[in-house]
């Protein structure tokens, strides 16, 4: 049942990754004028993981402000107490919600992570790095992607694969792949847009892409994230058991 | 994979550009700003939108010019660079994109179509620069330009004419003028040139062309002219009058080597210059030399035409003399760059050797005994000149029996007879006037021209303003260098110009130019 939803729009905007955050354990969605966006997620994920409607710091660009995986969620210091409480209430208990004091508050742009490893903005505080490693349970690497320091914007990462900025050189691709231990490909989304992290959102069995995404791009996403064969329940079970070891 | 960067000592990793799939068609390609392959980008965006693709241009089949509105006609060959520039200039809106390349696509000349392929560059989407080429078609329409249509209507159309006349019995001045005009390209704008008895007619399409021609003439010969006009047509509504202008130009009849008896008023005006004078040089003013006192005077056009005296004896009446004895010069003078020496000589006419004369001459510097000279035989000449008669009566001792003018090189010329000269001259495209009564004797013309060429050889100052060209047929023969005494004067080879074979334009040379192949 692994699937990919294409053709999503949040209030006529194709940048799905800006207004939503998808992980293996939960999904966050922004509050929009119409319920179409929410229902799209619901139709796919309703039985499997909780879908939480929220705002962060009063804004709707939640996908870019927070970073998280199945172990935890990091929110910026601009998050209000009510929002924090709402999140803590709605999310499953094993997910740790932590507000961090960090100068770079758009955590979604600065951190790209899956359940095992994370890439961080080179200028992130040492403290923040420790918190990331702690809360999310990942190994943190400070990296750039194609010379860009906003690693969260220019790559979309899941436990099975990842897409990076199209201008990444072959050597960089190899290096990142070795660090992240997943297959990577340079590609685009939303009809040639290079900002992949903002254009799509993905977990181990589903991906959501904006309406401008072409068939070619969809096939690339399909193949790299291995969405055809994925089953949600098996993955969720497997993760409870052990680490997945995949080599490039 | 990694290479040491020698310059900075930094360790630089070699970057290989990867390939992504084009987001539209899926073909692998190196990433670019739009992340679409070129074909997809081209199908998306058309940068030639809004640019002119077809346009009409006008062409005059008579003179081969293309119209650039409103009024300019530009001459251009088929498929030439000028035509390409002209075609591109006619396109509007071309400044929105950058023009990279333009070239002609072959079209059949009879099709009346010109096709140009333009390659333009423009920025699209997010910074990707797209290059696209597209054809532009020009429809050529035939349309006679104004000057051609006027010419078609009346081929004989001239607006201004200059009638150049000199009332003397020879055409030497006109030969010389012809060479001058050729050298300075003064008659390049003349529609027609016609040779008539005692003169030449020049026809121009424009009054200002005629004016500038007259200005040129005024600088080289002393002239007097008047202007007349004739009404051709009259547009009542706009009060435009069309005229034909005629300039009647008279060249002064005094030539080089003429003997003149000055009227008393002129002589006293020039400081009592002996009334018998010889004219030595005619340019824009007349130089006259008194052979007795070696004094020189200059008369410019205005001064001459105020009195308008004529010469008493002209070069037709020159007689050959044998020089028997030349005495040492009693006086020397350098006048106007020319050296003269006054001395007494014993001479006799060739026709009557028995009668010897003892006269003064100003040619003491070049005459030696045994030479031949040309001079005026006043002793036996029947001069039809009032001033001369008055002078003859007034002077006590009588007129000098002979006045020598120049040295004669006939003997030396005998040796070179029949051999071609080292130089040739060019001619103006003149028509002969057959219609009038005066018959021009071709043999007489030949002789006169031959004398003119001899004149050129003898006088370097005459050659100053003229272009002489190397004669291709002339070969330097071994015996040309005279071993026994002096030869006839010739034009030194450094003064000759090699003819330009390529085009009509003459080199605007400085005259004493070295031979250039």
């Amino acid at each position: 049942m692994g699937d990919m939803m294409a053709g999503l729009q949040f209030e006529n905007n194709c940048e799905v990754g800006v207004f939503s955050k998808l992980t293996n354990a939960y999904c966050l969605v922004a509050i929009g004028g119409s319920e179409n966006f929410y229902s799209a997620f619901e139709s796919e994920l309703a039985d499997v993981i909780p879908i939480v409607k929220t705002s962060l710091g009063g804004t709707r660009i939640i996908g870019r402000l927070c970073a998280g995986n199945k172990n935890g969620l990091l929110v910026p210091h601009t998050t209000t107490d009510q929002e924090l409480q709402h999140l803590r209430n709605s999310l499953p208990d094993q997910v740790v919600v932590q507000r961090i004091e960090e100068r770079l508050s758009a955590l979604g742009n600065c951190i790209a992570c899956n359940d095992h490893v994370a890439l961080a903005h080179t200028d992130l505080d040492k403290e923040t790095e420790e918190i990331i490693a702690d809360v999310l349970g990942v190994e943190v690497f400070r990296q750039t992607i194609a010379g860009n320091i906003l690693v969260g914007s220019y790559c979309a990462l899941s436990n099975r694969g990842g897409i990076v900025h199209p201008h990444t050189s072959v050597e960089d691709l190899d290096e990142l792949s070795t660090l992240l231990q997943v297959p990577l490909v340079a590609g685009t989304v939303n009809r040639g847009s290079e900002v992949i992290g903002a254009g799509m959102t993905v977990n181990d069995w589903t991906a959501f892409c904006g309406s401008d995404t072409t068939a070619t791009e969809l096939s690339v996403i399909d193949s790299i994230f291995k969405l055809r064969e994925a089953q949600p329940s098996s993955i969720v079970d497997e993760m409870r058991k052990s680490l997945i070891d995949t080599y490039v | 994979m990694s290479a040491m960067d020698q310059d900075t000592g930094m360790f630089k990793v070699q970057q290989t550009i990867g390939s992504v799939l084009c987001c539209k068609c899926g073909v692998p390609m190196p990433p670019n700003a739009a992340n679409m392959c070129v074909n997809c980008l081209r199908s998306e965006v058309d940068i030639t939108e809004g640019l002119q693709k077809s346009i009409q241009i006008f062409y005059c089949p008579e003179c081969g010019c293309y119209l650039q509105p409103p009024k300019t006609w530009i001459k251009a060959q088929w498929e030439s660079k000028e035509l390409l520039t002209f075609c591109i200039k006619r396109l509007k809106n071309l400044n929105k994109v950058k023009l990279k390349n333009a070239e002609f696509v072959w079209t059949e000349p009879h099709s009346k179509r010109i096709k140009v392929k333009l390659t333009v560059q423009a920025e699209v989407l997010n910074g990707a620069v797209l290059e696209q080429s597209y054809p532009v078609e020009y429809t050529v329409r035939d349309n006679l330009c104004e000057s051609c249509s006027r010419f078609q209507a009346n081929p004989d159309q001239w607006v201004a004419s200059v009638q150049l006349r000199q009332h003397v019995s020879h055409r030497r001045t006109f030969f010389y003028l012809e060479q001058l005009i050729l050298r300075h390209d003064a008659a390049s704008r003349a529609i027609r040139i016609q040779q008539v008895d005692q003169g030449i007619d020049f026809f121009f399409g424009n009054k200002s062309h005629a004016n500038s021609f007259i200005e040129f003439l005024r600088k080289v010969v002393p002239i007097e002219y008047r202007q007349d006009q004739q009404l051709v047509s009259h547009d009542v509504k706009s009060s435009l009058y069309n005229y034909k202008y005629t300039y009647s130009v008279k060249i002064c009849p005094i030539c080089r080597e003429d003997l003149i008896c000055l009227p008393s008023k002129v002589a006293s005006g020039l400081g009592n210059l002996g009334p018998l004078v010889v004219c030595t040089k005619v340019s824009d003013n007349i130089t006259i030399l008194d052979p007795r006192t070696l004094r020189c005077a200059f008369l410019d056009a205005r001064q001459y035409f105020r009195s308008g005296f004529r010469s008493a004896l002209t070069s037709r009446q020159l007689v050959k003399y044998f020089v028997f004895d030349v005495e040492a010069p009693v006086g020397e003078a350098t006048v106007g760059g020319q050296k003269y020496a006054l001395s007494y000589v014993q001479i006799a006419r060739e026709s009557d050797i028995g009668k010897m004369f003892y006269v003064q001459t100003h040619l003491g510097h070049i005459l030696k005994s045994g030479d031949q000279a040309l001079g005026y035989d006043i002793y036996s000449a029947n001069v039809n000149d009032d001033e001369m008669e008055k002078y003859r009566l007034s002077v006590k001792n009588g007129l000098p029996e002979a006045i020598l003018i120049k040295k004669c090189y006939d003997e030396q010329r005998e040796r070179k007879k029949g051999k071609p000269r080292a130089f040739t001259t060019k001619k103006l495209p003149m028509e002969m006037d057959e219609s009038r009564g005066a018959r021009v004797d071709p043999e007489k013309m030949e002789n006169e021209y031959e004398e003119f060429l001899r004149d050129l050889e003898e006088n370097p100052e005459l050659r100053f303003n003229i272009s002489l060209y190397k004669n291709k047929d002339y070969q330097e023969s071994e015996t040309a260098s005279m071993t026994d005494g002096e030869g006839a004067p010739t034009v030194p080879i450094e003064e000759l110009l090699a003819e330009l074979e390529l085009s009509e334009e003459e080199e605007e040379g400085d005259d004493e130019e070295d031979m250039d192949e």
Side-chain angles (χ1 to χ4, degrees):
Chain A
M1 232 206 53
D3 201 9
M4 177 163 51
M5 280 288 287
L8 290 191
Q9 276 191 332
F10 181 83
E11 289 182 358
N12 221 18
N13 189 317
C14 316
E15 307 289 328
V16 174
V18 174
F19 301 103
S20 65
K21 188 86 190 163
L22 180 61
T23 69
N24 287 328
Y26 55 88
C27 175
L28 303 177
V29 175
I31 303 169
S34 75
E35 286 292 304
N36 290 338
F37 197 60
Y38 179 73
S39 6
F41 280 89
E42 224 186 347
S43 62
E44 279 299 308
L45 307 167
D47 310 331
V48 190
I49 53 175
I51 308 174
V52 183
K53 274 214 250 186
T54 181
S55 65
L56 283 179
T59 67
R60 300 188 293 179
I61 48 168
I62 58 172
R64 301 292 92 215
L65 290 182
C66 66
N69 59 10
K70 72 171 183 1
N71 300 321
L73 176 68
L74 297 170
V75 291
H77 62 89
T78 55
T79 317
T80 63
D81 293 333
Q82 286 98 314
E83 288 160 353
L84 199 54
Q85 197 55 43
H86 172 65
L87 282 170
R88 287 221 174 95
N89 292 342
S90 325
L91 291 178
D93 292 331
Q94 66 263 42
V95 178
V96 180
V97 182
Q98 174 89 342
R99 177 164 61 186
I100 55 179
E101 301 294 322
E102 162 64 58
R103 183 178 62 95
L104 305 167
S105 57
L107 299 175
N109 285 339
C110 300
I111 306 167
C113 62
N114 62 10
D115 291 336
H116 312 291
V117 79
L119 294 175
H121 191 293
T122 49
D123 297 338
L124 228 50
D125 288 348
K126 203 76 182 77
E127 272 182 40
T128 313
E129 195 181 324
E130 288 168 7
I131 298 177
I132 296 172
D134 213 14
V135 170
L136 300 182
V138 292
E139 204 179 335
V140 182
F141 298 105
R142 288 172 191 260
Q143 265 293 338
T144 64
I145 296 183
N148 283 308
I149 44 179
L150 293 178
V151 288
S153 317
Y154 289 106
C155 86
L157 203 49
S158 87
N159 290 323
R160 316 186 102 217
I163 304 188
V164 291
H165 190 290
H167 289 178
T168 315
S169 66
V170 172
E171 288 82 13
D172 275 358
L173 215 53
D174 286 346
E175 192 185 329
L176 286 170
S177 210
T178 328
L179 279 181
L180 299 174
Q181 297 286 300
V182 292
L184 293 178
V185 78
T188 67
V189 78
N190 279 342
R191 202 171 244 281
S193 167
E194 297 153 345
V195 196
I196 298 134
M200 61 176 283
T201 181
V202 64
N203 70 3
D204 287 348
W205 68 90
T206 328
F208 294 89
C209 307
S211 57
D212 277 350
T213 314
T214 62
T216 318
E217 290 163 341
L218 288 177
S219 71
V220 170
I221 293 169
D222 218 0
S223 68
I224 197 65
F225 291 116
K226 301 193 186 48
L227 296 173
R228 288 276 146 223
E229 323 84 44
Q231 295 278 330
S233 48
S234 60
I235 290 185
V236 173
D237 287 336
E238 260 182 60
M239 279 192 315
R240 292 205 187 104
K241 286 183 209 157
S242 64
L243 278 172
I244 304 175
D245 233 341
T246 49
Y247 283 97
V248 174
Chain B
M1 259 230 322
S2 343
M4 288 296 267
D5 196 11
Q6 303 286 3
D7 300 340
T8 60
M10 264 186 27
F11 195 63
K12 268 204 155 154
V13 181
Q14 190 182 10
Q15 306 279 356
T16 332
I17 311 286
S19 76
V20 292
L21 299 187
C22 161
C23 64
K24 263 191 93 174
C25 58
V27 58
M29 49 159 237
N32 61 30
N35 290 317
M36 277 198 262
C37 66
V38 188
N39 295 327
C40 294
L41 201 54
R42 281 227 183 103
S43 64
E44 288 269 306
V45 186
D46 183 14
I47 53 178
T48 66
E49 205 176 353
L51 298 177
Q52 258 182 324
K53 302 266 174 47
S54 72
I55 195 171
Q56 210 176 59
I57 56 176
F58 292 97
Y59 169 72
C60 172
E62 286 288 319
C63 52
C65 299
Y66 292 86
L67 174 66
Q68 185 152 37
K71 269 201 187 184
T72 338
W73 289 84
I74 298 185
K75 197 168 169 72
Q77 295 275 2
W78 180 255
E79 289 203 356
S80 64
K81 217 162 36 140
E82 294 92 27
L83 189 57
L84 194 58
T85 328
F86 168 74
C87 288
I88 294 176
K89 260 199 247 176
R90 297 286 292 126
L91 290 177
K92 300 189 257 251
N93 300 341
L94 211 53
N95 44 3
K96 288 205 202 120
V97 296
K98 205 160 67 150
L99 182 64
K100 269 278 141 171
N101 190 24
E103 58 186 11
F104 280 111
V105 176
W106 186 84
T107 48
E108 179 76 45
H110 294 289
S111 66
K112 297 270 171 223
R113 301 275 184 278
I114 300 178
K115 280 215 178 86
V116 177
K117 192 157 81 147
L118 293 175
T119 312
V120 292
Q121 254 184 12
E123 203 182 278
V124 295
L125 293 186
N126 31 354
V129 176
L130 189 62
E131 193 176 279
Q132 192 175 345
S133 50
Y134 69 102
V136 182
E137 188 175 315
Y138 296 85
T139 311
V140 179
R141 282 188 51 183
D142 281 344
N143 191 345
L144 274 184
C145 66
E146 282 170 33
S147 42
C148 289
S149 53
R150 230 182 292 134
F151 182 73
Q152 286 278 0
N154 183 4
D156 233 357
Q157 190 85 334
W158 54 267
V159 176
S161 83
V162 175
Q163 292 170 336
L164 196 60
R165 302 282 182 270
Q166 187 185 34
H167 298 299
V168 285
S169 52
H170 58 84
R171 291 193 72 97
R172 266 189 350 200
T173 320
F174 292 112
F175 292 141
Y176 178 61
L177 259 185
E178 187 183 348
Q179 295 304 316
L180 267 185
I181 290 172
L182 278 170
R183 166 74 178 234
H184 292 100
D185 240 356
S188 56
R189 291 181 291 193
I191 302 177
R192 213 157 51 105
I193 305 174
Q194 192 174 32
Q195 189 181 15
V196 295
D197 177 39
Q198 289 204 332
I200 308 179
D201 282 348
F202 295 85
F203 297 95
F204 295 93
N206 203 324
K207 187 173 174 226
S208 55
H209 296 167
N211 269 330
S212 55
F213 183 66
I214 291 189
E215 285 305 311
F216 165 75
L217 283 178
R218 204 189 306 177
K219 275 188 236 137
V220 293
V221 282
I223 57 169
E224 182 187 51
Y225 71 97
R226 56 172 282 162
Q227 179 202 337
D228 297 292
Q229 58 198 38
Q230 178 191 10
L231 187 64
V232 172
S233 68
H234 170 209
D235 182 355
V236 182
K237 295 267 175 66
S238 60
S239 254
L240 280 178
Y241 298 82
N242 270 341
Y243 289 102
K244 271 195 198 238
Y245 303 91
T246 308
Y247 293 84
S248 174
V249 179
K250 279 203 288 270
I251 306 182
C252 95
I254 310 286
C255 300
R256 254 169 23 97
E257 298 165 4
D258 279 358
L259 184 69
I260 309 164
C261 187
L262 294 174
S264 51
K265 271 224 183 87
V266 179
S268 49
L270 291 174
N272 261 337
L273 206 57
L276 276 181
V277 289
V278 175
C279 174
T280 49
K281 183 167 163 186
V282 176
S283 66
D284 58 336
N285 43 28
I286 309 166
T287 311
I288 46 181
L289 170 78
D290 182 353
R292 284 242 196 97
T293 58
L294 291 188
R295 256 181 55 202
C296 225
F298 299 94
L299 284 175
D300 74 358
R302 239 174 332 152
Q303 280 174 303
Y304 169 75
F305 282 105
R306 231 180 278 153
S307 46
F309 53 83
R310 299 202 56 128
S311 9
L313 287 170
T314 63
S315 47
R316 282 270 162 95
Q317 281 102 13
L318 280 174
V319 165
K320 246 197 244 182
Y321 285 88
F322 281 116
V323 177
F324 289 112
D325 190 27
V326 180
E327 291 178 16
V330 297
E332 277 184 1
T334 309
V335 172
Q338 264 283 69
K339 239 178 52 135
Y340 296 109
L342 194 61
S343 51
Y344 284 90
V345 290
Q346 259 199 332
I347 53 176
R349 282 168 298 184
E350 192 190 16
S351 52
D352 184 11
I353 299 211
K355 186 92 170 90
M356 301 266 271
F357 297 106
Y358 188 68
V359 290
Q360 241 186 5
T361 174
H362 60 283
L363 299 175
H365 57 298
I366 47 172
L367 283 180
K368 289 191 288 297
S369 80
D371 275 346
Q372 283 181 327
L374 290 168
Y376 291 111
D377 184 15
I378 304 179
Y379 176 74
S380 58
N382 188 0
V383 184
N384 182 14
D385 191 44
D386 291 336
E387 300 296 330
M388 196 90 149
E389 285 306 306
K390 268 194 257 171
Y391 181 55
R392 195 199 290 264
L393 295 171
S394 66
V395 84
K396 291 189 302 226
N397 309 338
L399 300 171
E401 287 122 351
I403 297 191
L404 295 179
I405 298 294
K406 60 181 179 181
K407 186 166 159 178
C408 180
Y409 294 100
D410 274 351
E411 243 182 47
Q412 288 94 341
R413 285 197 201 280
E414 280 296 314
R415 289 186 214 134
K416 281 194 12 183
K417 198 169 188 167
K419 293 207 199 112
R421 286 204 160 77
F423 64 92
T424 53
T425 52
K426 284 203 174 160
K427 298 253 189 175
L428 269 183
M430 278 199 265
E431 299 169 8
M432 294 302 173
D433 184 21
E434 314 283 330
S435 56
R436 309 268 174 95
R439 304 255 175 261
V440 179
D441 189 5
E443 203 187 295
K444 200 169 80 154
M445 294 281 284
E446 284 282 319
N447 286 341
E448 280 195 351
Y449 201 69
E450 178 67 29
E451 277 184 31
F452 169 64
L453 290 178
R454 276 196 211 149
D455 244 352
L456 278 185
E457 281 182 339
E458 288 171 20
N459 294 292
E461 58 185 46
L462 256 192
R463 294 199 290 270
F464 183 65
N465 259 333
I466 294 183
S467 308
L468 295 171
Y469 298 92
K470 249 178 41 145
N471 187 358
K472 286 189 277 283
D473 305 323
Y474 173 76
Q475 265 125 26
E476 181 92 40
S477 62
E478 298 299 312
T479 58
S481 52
M482 295 293 167
T483 46
D484 44 348
E486 46 176 275
T490 52
V491 180
I493 216 154
E494 298 91 56
E495 290 183 21
L496 300 179
L497 307 169
E499 274 212 46
L500 257 189
E501 307 266 315
L502 317 159
S503 58
E504 287 298 309
E505 304 143 22
E506 319 281 293
E507 53 254 44
E508 317 240 323
D510 338 87
D511 38 343
E512 318 279 332
E513 204 177 317
D514 276 332
M515 278 182 345
D516 232 355
E517 221 63 280

